[in-house]
Amino acid sequence: MDNMQIKIAAETNIGLRRSNNEDRFAICPSLAAANWETQCAEVSLPDQTDGAMIVVADGMGDMNAGEVAADITVQTFIKYFSPGYMEPSAAETDENGMQYLKVVSSTADRRIKQRVYDDRTTWGMGTTLVAAWVFDKKAHIAWCGDSRAYLYNPQMGLKQLTRDHLYIQELLDSGRIDAFHAAMHPGRKRITRYLGDDRQNVRPDTTLLPLATGDSLMLCSDGLTELLDDESIAKLLLQYNAEPREACSALIKAAIEAGGNDNITVAILYVEAGGIENASRENTESVPFFG
């Protein structure tokens, strides 16, 4: 596989209203080299055979030990995407890659539930998840909850790649409510899918996206998107285009200035060179939401 030159950066912030940070992330520009970072960092390497990875988990703040659930999720991805654990066939086809993302998500879900069984002080903990595995010049994305993935390119602007697993999103999709009333709905933050839900097994959604040179793939927790609309995010990504570390910091700063009422995590993968020419954007869409 021809190498794709990438830069990845990620940053997290406790915000202004929380007593602790329940968000967790991990980034790895080369899974073959296993050079994972879980603290604020920027790394740049050519894409290797097994690709690159970004994981963002938002521990659910209204539940006990949300940060524990988020940490279990991130550590599960690090383990199962490390050399010696991942089967080589997982990266052979797009279908295999998507399936492996689902398998690892399910493994994290089971590990969270096992932790609750072993330690009742963590009862009720849960976490959202959004993960992007980049190989063969494509982003293989899985998510569960309301943490999001976006694609940004200066020529096409910002596009949301994921659709929130929220009760209010289901109402919007079915036409039973409009965006104006959704913003005031008392159940606007009710998550319908998350890791650790003892009522059901995890059911992540997936999507596939070819990556072109100049693309920025952004993953984030809802601490960002609750406070910044698409236009504000796009302006900052344009201002700091090709500089993912600066873009992460600027986005977090803007969210804090807008209120900072939740933990905020942003991770960005920028394609410096070697992307797919004339990459199709069929899987990108403007998702109606009240923001």
Side-chain angles (χ1 to χ4, degrees):
M1 180 183 70
D2 293 335
N3 285 345
M4 186 170 68
Q5 300 290 329
I6 59 173
K7 286 197 292 188
I8 310 179
E11 186 173 335
T12 188
N13 191 285
I14 193 172
L16 301 177
R17 307 286 180 86
R18 302 288 188 178
S19 59
N20 66 318
N21 194 341
E22 295 183 313
D23 285 3
R24 297 290 186 271
F25 75 82
I27 57 176
C28 183
S30 172
L31 293 175
N35 51 349
W36 291 91
E37 294 284 349
T38 58
Q39 303 297 320
C40 299
E42 180 178 83
V43 285
S44 178
L45 280 176
D47 181 18
Q48 301 295 327
T49 302
D50 292 335
M53 173 66 69
I54 303 174
V55 185
V56 172
D58 179 358
M60 297 169 66
D62 59 346
M63 293 189 176
N64 189 32
E67 70 278 8
V68 176
D71 191 59
I72 289 172
T73 298
V74 166
Q75 293 303 319
T76 299
F77 270 80
I78 291 175
K79 177 178 179 179
Y80 284 89
F81 277 91
S82 294
Y85 276 90
M86 184 171 61
E87 291 291 333
S89 61
E92 287 181 353
T93 67
D94 293 332
E95 183 178 356
N96 288 1
M98 294 296 206
Q99 183 60 34
Y100 193 68
L101 280 170
K102 291 181 179 180
V103 167
V104 179
S105 300
S106 296
T107 301
D109 180 55
R110 291 194 302 271
R111 292 181 71 188
I112 292 169
K113 291 169 180 174
Q114 183 63 48
R115 177 64 179 271
V116 172
Y117 180 82
D118 294 336
D119 180 4
R120 299 303 292 175
T121 65
T122 62
W123 183 88
M125 69 177 177
T127 183
T128 69
L129 164 72
V130 59
W133 181 13
V134 175
F135 70 89
D136 197 23
K137 302 186 180 185
K138 286 170 276 189
H140 305 71
I141 301 169
W143 75 97
C144 199
D146 60 353
S147 292
R148 296 180 181 177
Y150 288 84
L151 177 70
Y152 175 77
N153 185 288
Q155 283 70 50
M156 62 159 241
L158 184 73
K159 295 292 183 179
Q160 185 175 333
L161 305 174
T162 56
R163 185 175 292 273
D164 295 340
H165 295 136
L166 293 173
Y167 173 66
I168 199 70
Q169 187 69 59
E170 294 176 359
L171 295 180
L172 282 165
D173 292 344
S174 65
R176 288 178 285 171
I177 197 170
D178 58 27
F180 175 78
H181 291 94
M184 299 178 289
H185 195 284
R188 62 189 293 269
K189 292 300 296 176
R190 177 183 160 194
I191 296 177
T192 55
R193 300 190 208 176
Y194 60 90
L195 278 67
D197 186 351
D198 59 5
R199 299 165 298 180
Q200 59 183 340
N201 293 326
V202 68
R203 293 180 295 118
D205 279 336
T206 59
T207 191
L208 177 69
L209 183 77
L211 292 173
T213 300
D215 281 350
S216 290
L217 177 66
M218 184 184 81
L219 276 59
C220 62
S221 62
D222 70 331
L224 180 78
T225 53
E226 277 287 293
L227 294 172
L228 299 183
D229 59 20
D230 285 2
E231 182 179 0
S232 300
I233 293 172
K235 284 181 178 178
L236 288 171
L237 289 174
L238 175 61
Q239 182 178 350
Y240 297 97
N241 186 43
E243 299 297 337
R245 180 65 182 270
E246 287 79 1
C248 288
S249 296
L251 287 163
I252 287 176
K253 180 182 178 182
I256 290 174
E257 291 175 349
N261 57 3
D262 199 356
N263 308 144
I264 310 156
T265 299
V266 183
I268 298 174
L269 183 150
Y270 175 72
V271 182
E272 291 187 290
I276 296 176
E277 294 185 9
N278 302 317
S280 171
R281 304 305 183 185
E282 293 179 359
N283 287 348
T284 64
E285 60 179 327
S286 297
V287 178
F289 200 62
F290 54 89

